[in-house]
Amino acid sequence: MATNDQILLARAHLASARNVTILTGAGISADSGVPTFRGADGLWRNFRAEDIATPEAFERNPRLVWEWYNWRRELIATKQPNPAHDALVKLEQQWADRMWLITQNVDGLHCAAGSQRLSEIHGNIWKVRCTSCGVISENREIPLPILPTCPLCHALLRPHIVWFGESLREEDLRRCNQVIRSCDLLLVIGTSGVVYPAAGFASAAKDIGALVIEINLDSTPKSNLVDLSLQGRAKDLVPLLL
Ligand code: BJW
Ligand code: ZN
């Protein structure tokens, strides 16, 4: 568990920072009741995310993939932002253009809390994209019909989500590059740090001399690299820090 001294030190670092970038992962939403990907509760019918969140899995069995997304939509629809999401909104209000939030989460809880200076680099579960004409639209139906089709061209719709082996959107990559290169403090909250490109952000920030602080329930592959590793729940530690 994070000690008082660690928390005070982290607060002091934050108080003296000029530009802050924040990277969040499934751990911040775990405190709202959304299962993480690699935790024991992250499995669905014994599938790992790596087996189902791929373009190949969708090509092979779109029905199965849509069933997974319908299950997750149903679950996420019942969840609310928690004090960690709220604290990041306050930070944005205080810091304005000196902060940017990058999330790997697709649950939309940062948006629901009110974050605006935000990149959802892996997409959003409440958006769908046409596999033929590429049109992206917001869609909050639960469950979506299996299989959903595009109102414009009648081709199959897919979740507007970045799957393994797919590139992130150019615009997001550019923004991440810019905010990682320009920050002097990177706060990494609730991610296992194994999925690239986000897994490379902590070392990229260190390379340009930024200070990196991690908040996580457990130690991660990045804990030895960061300047300060605070162990505990995001919903307790993030409000204390900010
Ligand atoms: C708490 C807590 C509490 C719990 N409080 N903490 C370079 C090297 C090797 C491989 C690659 C590479 N570059 C690209 C790759 C391939 C691949 C990749 O990284 N594979 C790795 C597994 C090795 N990456 C990609 O394919 C990416 N595309 C790309 O880079 O394109 C170019 C390219 C392609 C191919 C080759 C080379 C280049 C795209 C990645 C898209 C990932 N999408 C997913 C699935 C979306 C499906 C969906 O959501 O519907 O996004 S994967 C899944 O993992 C999801 C998450 O956003 C992502 C990260 O997970 P996260 O958030 O870290 O969650 P967990 O569960 O892992 O961890 C939770 C953490 O919270 C834990 O640490 C807990 O301890 C903690 N925690 N409760 C605080 N209360
Ligand atoms: Zn279409």
Side-chain angles (χ1 to χ4, degrees):
M1 279 298 127
T3 63
N4 271 345
D5 284 353
Q6 282 180 318
I7 292 167
L8 289 175
L9 186 59
R11 285 176 68 122
H13 283 312
L14 196 75
S16 59
R18 287 184 311 273
N19 290 294
V20 181
T21 297
I22 294 154
L23 169 67
T24 64
I28 194 167
S29 294
D31 282 335
S32 294
V34 180
T36 62
F37 287 92
R38 293 167 187 86
D41 58 351
L43 292 180
W44 174 76
R45 296 193 201 162
N46 293 326
F47 291 102
R48 295 176 314 138
E50 283 82 348
D51 297 332
I52 204 159
T54 69
E56 292 79 19
F58 189 66
E59 227 162 83
R60 229 180 6 251
N61 195 344
R63 181 173 292 271
L64 177 78
V65 174
W66 265 121
E67 280 176 10
W68 185 53
Y69 280 99
N70 267 336
W71 171 74
R72 290 182 53 213
R73 279 173 163 237
E74 209 170 302
L75 195 144
I76 291 168
T78 63
K79 310 302 179 206
Q80 305 296 329
N82 65 57
H85 295 101
D86 295 339
L88 295 179
V89 178
K90 284 203 187 109
L91 185 81
E92 176 179 315
Q93 286 160 356
Q94 287 161 11
W95 285 59
D97 61 0
R98 294 190 298 131
M99 78 81 82
W100 194 265
L101 172 58
I102 303 169
T103 187
Q104 299 169 85
N105 300 343
V106 301
D107 53 36
L109 289 180
H110 283 301
C111 274
S115 285
Q116 293 181 3
R117 299 181 60 77
L118 167 71
S119 298
E120 292 178 310
I121 60 171
H122 291 165
N124 186 302
I125 199 162
W126 303 112
K127 291 181 182 167
V128 293
R129 187 166 85 237
C130 177
T131 54
S132 177
C133 70
V135 164
I136 299 162
S137 51
E138 194 172 317
N139 181 313
R140 292 191 169 256
E141 270 175 87
I142 303 173
L144 271 164
I146 290 187
L147 303 160
T149 51
C150 174
L152 301 175
C153 75
H154 308 293
L156 182 64
L157 291 173
R158 59 164 280 177
H160 184 49
I161 282 186
V162 182
W163 287 326
F164 282 110
E166 294 185 318
S167 290
L168 276 66
R169 286 172 300 275
E170 265 309 310
E171 180 197 336
D172 288 333
L173 284 172
R174 254 199 317 274
R175 171 73 74 174
C176 290
N177 204 13
Q178 183 232 320
V179 296
I180 294 290
R181 279 166 174 273
S182 60
C183 73
D184 51 1
L185 196 153
L186 173 68
L187 183 57
V188 181
I189 306 169
T191 173
S192 57
V194 296
V195 176
Y196 286 86
F201 292 171
S203 39
K206 287 231 52 103
D207 284 350
I208 54 117
L211 198 104
V212 182
I213 301 177
E214 173 187 66
I215 293 181
N216 199 298
L217 207 47
D218 290 317
S219 61
T220 74
K222 305 291 174 224
S223 299
N224 289 330
L225 170 108
V226 303
D227 297 285
L228 193 51
S229 180
L230 305 179
Q231 284 198 9
R233 291 190 181 282
K235 77 167 164 55
D236 300 328
L237 291 180
V238 178
L240 274 183
L241 224 66
L242 305 182

